[in-house]
Amino acid sequence: MQAILIERFGDPSELRPTEVPRPDPAEREILVEVHAAAVNRSDVLNARGSFAFTTLPRILGRDFAGVVVEGTQELVGKEVWGTGGGELGYFRDGSHARYLAVPSKAVVPKSDTLSLEEAGASGLAYVTAGSALVELGDVSEGETILVTGAAGGVGSAAVMIARWKGARVIGAIKDESERPMAQRAGVDVIVDTSREAVTDAVKAATGGEGADLVLDAVGGTLFEPALKSLGEEGRMVVITTAPDRQHVSFNLLDFYRKGLRLYGLMTSFLDAEGSAAVLRNLGPGFDEGVLRAPAIAERYPLEQAGMAYARVASSEV
């Protein structure tokens, strides 16, 4: 079968398919014929050698959607989707291949509201957003949520999850070019950070009370303004930072007097089975049509994997 196999780390744009043996699923595993698989920023970083725990040679790729062709009777022939945590593409062969062997509990039946292509592009975004808002943030009906990077994959997934849970969403975008994507996701109040101060805009939108929960999908320069946007006993989940802004500061007196909580989320702490559990909990939202796939930027066949990786790398800044 064809797969994106790396035997050394290097420039992701040079990636090309290689012929490798089709995986043979072990006991309690299934074989998925992969129909679609996203290229995430973590895949690009992995190809470059940014993760010390990656073992070589290795097939890359975390997200996947496809049809089960070998395994338990109840799954064979079913359309499924999923994503890896800290194993697929790192120390276990990943999804950028024609076939993928994973534990049977690592897949979730695909909702009829998603195409295989949409499901293949959504796994990591929804696992990250679901872990942040539902598992850590405990989002509740009637709350006000601030999402930075609201036009991105994780940001837009978070907006839809928050709306599904009955929350009001303030979405921060970097400029007006991102407004249509934020609107498509369902943001109630949009903050253009190129023209507005995040903290002031959130306070104005909440009558001075502040947000109940923040998902910071940007980090860096937005970290402190986002933290200042929280009201009393607010929670904030951080999933990333800018490469040149890994150190931030905030007012510790204000932090503890307001009873704030700050969480860091690392999806690599999960595995594919843990990721599937998050997606399974979000299933009703997809079935209801409230949760949808984030916008797909471009589509590439496996033969043009290098171009796909280069496209993701070009949007990192």
Side-chain angles (χ1 to χ4, degrees), residues 118-167:
E118 289 172 331
S122 301
L124 186 56
Y126 269 102
V127 165
T128 304
S131 297
L133 293 191
V134 181
E135 308 295 329
L136 289 178
D138 193 25
V139 60
S140 301
E141 184 176 359
E143 291 190 314
T144 297
I145 314 301
L146 168 65
V147 177
T148 69
V154 173
S156 59
V159 171
M160 287 184 271
I161 291 172
R163 292 292 302 271
W164 175 49
K165 292 293 185 178

Side-chain angles (χ1 to χ4, degrees), residues 129-267:
S131 297
L133 293 191
V134 181
E135 308 295 329
L136 289 178
D138 193 25
V139 60
S140 301
E141 184 176 359
E143 291 190 314
T144 297
I145 314 301
L146 168 65
V147 177
T148 69
V154 173
S156 59
V159 171
M160 287 184 271
I161 291 172
R163 292 292 302 271
W164 175 49
K165 292 293 185 178
R168 176 174 178 246
V169 183
I170 301 171
I173 59 175
K174 67 178 181 180
D175 55 44
E176 284 301 302
S177 68
E178 294 188 339
R179 183 175 290 271
M181 291 179 285
Q183 290 175 327
R184 176 183 178 273
V187 171
D188 295 290
V189 178
I190 294 177
V191 180
D192 179 352
T193 60
S194 68
R195 302 188 304 175
E196 304 172 80
V198 172
T199 305
D200 293 343
V202 172
K203 293 294 179 66
T206 58
E209 294 295 321
D212 298 292
L213 173 64
V214 171
L215 170 58
D216 185 10
V218 175
T221 57
L222 287 187
F223 172 87
E224 190 172 1
L227 188 65
K228 287 181 178 179
S229 301
L230 284 171
E232 289 190 358
E233 298 187 342
R235 300 95 68 201
M236 179 166 165
V237 183
V238 181
I239 65 168
T240 189
T241 189
D244 59 343
R245 289 297 300 270
Q246 296 180 15
H247 297 276
V248 297
S249 62
F250 58 91
N251 187 314
L252 191 57
L253 183 65
D254 183 61
F255 179 81
Y256 77 76
R257 281 189 172 177
K258 290 171 68 176
L260 304 182
R261 282 168 283 172
L262 180 62
Y263 301 95
L265 173 62
M266 191 70 174
T267 56

Side-chain angles (χ1 to χ4, degrees), residues 38 50 58 73 76 88 91 102 131 153 191 200 207 215 222 225 234 254 289 293:
S50 299
R58 185 62 54 220
Q73 184 175 1
V76 170
L88 289 189
F91 56 86
V102 290
S131 297
V191 180
D200 293 343
L215 170 58
L222 287 187
D254 183 61

